[in-house]
Amino acid sequence: MPLEPQTGVAVYQFIVDRLEGRRREQYPDDRQAYERDWTAAHDLDKAFAEAVHAGDLATAQQLLRKLNDMAAPWSDHPHHPAHDAGHGHQADLAD
């Protein structure tokens, strides 16, 4: 995956879509867990974009790896960013 802001956005948005589905199924009574996971993904995406803009490619690579680790539970999902060479967000509500 290229180290560019769009890459981080694609992985982040994929995670958020999956978390939204999980929120309905697994977090109905535990909104704090959902918010914690969402915040972690958001913070990683923001830090990734900042590292890319600063030219700190080592940090950007490390942060992208963490974003991908968050997305790993859904690696078989057809919209997983690793399957999307164009890094375009494919909005859906499927889990």
Side-chain angles (χ1 to χ4, degrees):
M1 293 182 143
L3 294 179
E4 54 190 41
Q6 296 85 351
T7 304
V9 170
V11 178
Y12 163 73
Q13 192 59 55
F14 174 79
I15 293 167
V16 168
D17 288 349
R18 303 294 74 73
L19 289 175
E20 186 62 27
R22 183 187 286 175
R23 182 182 62 83
R24 290 188 304 273
E25 295 174 6
Q26 298 176 5
Y27 298 146
D29 299 320
D30 191 3
R31 182 145 179 95
Q32 289 179 339
Y34 166 78
E35 290 173 355
R36 180 188 62 241
D37 291 346
W38 183 92
T39 298
H42 181 266
D43 291 349
L44 283 171
D45 176 49
K46 182 179 177 191
F48 171 78
E50 289 170 353
V52 169
H53 286 296
D56 185 352
L57 300 184
T59 298
Q61 184 68 39
Q62 177 185 20
L63 293 165
L64 182 58
R65 191 173 309 117
K66 288 181 180 183
L67 273 168
N68 282 316
D69 287 348
M70 284 191 78
W74 304 285
S75 63
D76 291 336
H77 192 283
H79 296 142
H80 191 281
H83 308 304
D84 181 19
H87 306 295
H89 170 57
Q90 299 171 345
D92 72 329
L93 297 177
D95 297 330

